[in-house]
Amino acid sequence: CYYQLPPYLSCNNVIYIGPGRSIDRLYPYNSRPSNLYNYYGGFSQADYAVQDLTSLFLSGDTYALDRITPYDGHVRVVQDGRYCYSVDVGDFYDLMRDAAYGTQTVSYDAYVQGRTGWGSYVVQARHTLIDPWGSWVTYNQRFVFETEGRRLVVREISVSPQ
């Protein structure tokens, strides 16, 4: 939760579908800064996902948000390591847009922590911002990206204050 944003999400908009697959083991991923090409001469889908997250929070790029938002289904919301609820993709889009536009970002650092055995990627990020009272606050974010067609989309988000 971004505590400075209004809690406007209606209980009618959330659904409890249970936590996703348990991530017991992450396999190494050789993450590269988002401005470098991978070995094969282009970005990997995981690198694009990190680049899109960074672009969203640093410059408010809604096209980047479009690319990482699923076309349908739900996104799981985890708080302080525990599954809370899920929201449909439209509400997820609105929440992410508000988190990007409703904050004054100082820095945003994201990297791929690893990949799962079933092809998902876990991305860790640190979002440092200035809250409405002028204090610097840092949030830890964790995203689980899953394949949808030819792209990776967010299927789980976790946010906790540092």
Side-chain angles (χ1 to χ4, degrees):
C1 266
Y2 281 74
Y3 300 106
Q4 75 279 9
L5 295 176
Y8 63 86
L9 189 63
S10 164
C11 289
N12 295 333
N13 293 3
V14 300
I15 184 172
Y16 185 84
I17 58 174
R21 293 182 184 173
S22 176
I23 300 175
D24 297 329
R25 178 177 180 183
L26 286 176
Y27 296 92
Y29 177 81
N30 186 14
S31 187
R32 292 161 294 285
S34 59
N35 62 347
L36 296 179
Y37 287 105
N38 71 19
Y39 178 79
Y40 299 104
F43 293 120
S44 73
Q45 291 301 318
D47 293 329
Y48 278 125
V50 168
Q51 185 179 30
D52 284 339
L53 278 173
T54 303
S55 182
L56 170 65
F57 283 98
L58 288 180
S59 62
D61 183 357
T62 56
Y63 293 115
L65 179 55
D66 291 342
R67 288 188 294 270
I68 62 172
T69 300
Y71 292 131
D72 59 13
H74 294 88
V75 175
R76 297 177 299 277
V77 177
V78 176
Q79 207 168 7
D80 298 323
R82 302 188 78 198
Y83 171 78
C84 294
Y85 54 86
S86 296
V87 294
D88 70 35
V89 295
D91 288 326
F92 167 74
Y93 184 93
D94 292 342
L95 291 170
M96 289 292 287
R97 185 188 60 220
D98 291 348
Y101 281 104
T103 60
Q104 184 179 350
T105 297
V106 174
S107 67
Y108 192 86
D109 300 307
Y111 66 94
V112 179
Q113 182 182 8
R115 64 175 177 77
T116 66
W118 61 88
S120 297
Y121 291 88
V122 176
V123 173
Q124 292 284 123
R126 284 183 47 169
H127 185 194
T128 302
L129 55 100
I130 299 174
D131 70 16
W133 304 276
S135 299
W136 285 36
V137 181
T138 300
Y139 291 98
N140 294 318
Q141 298 175 332
R142 179 178 181 261
F143 297 89
V144 176
F145 282 85
E146 296 178 3
T147 302
E148 181 181 84
R150 297 183 57 171
R151 64 192 185 122
L152 290 175
V153 296
V154 176
R155 285 298 178 182
E156 180 177 298
I157 179 173
S158 173
V159 178
S160 59
Q162 186 171 7

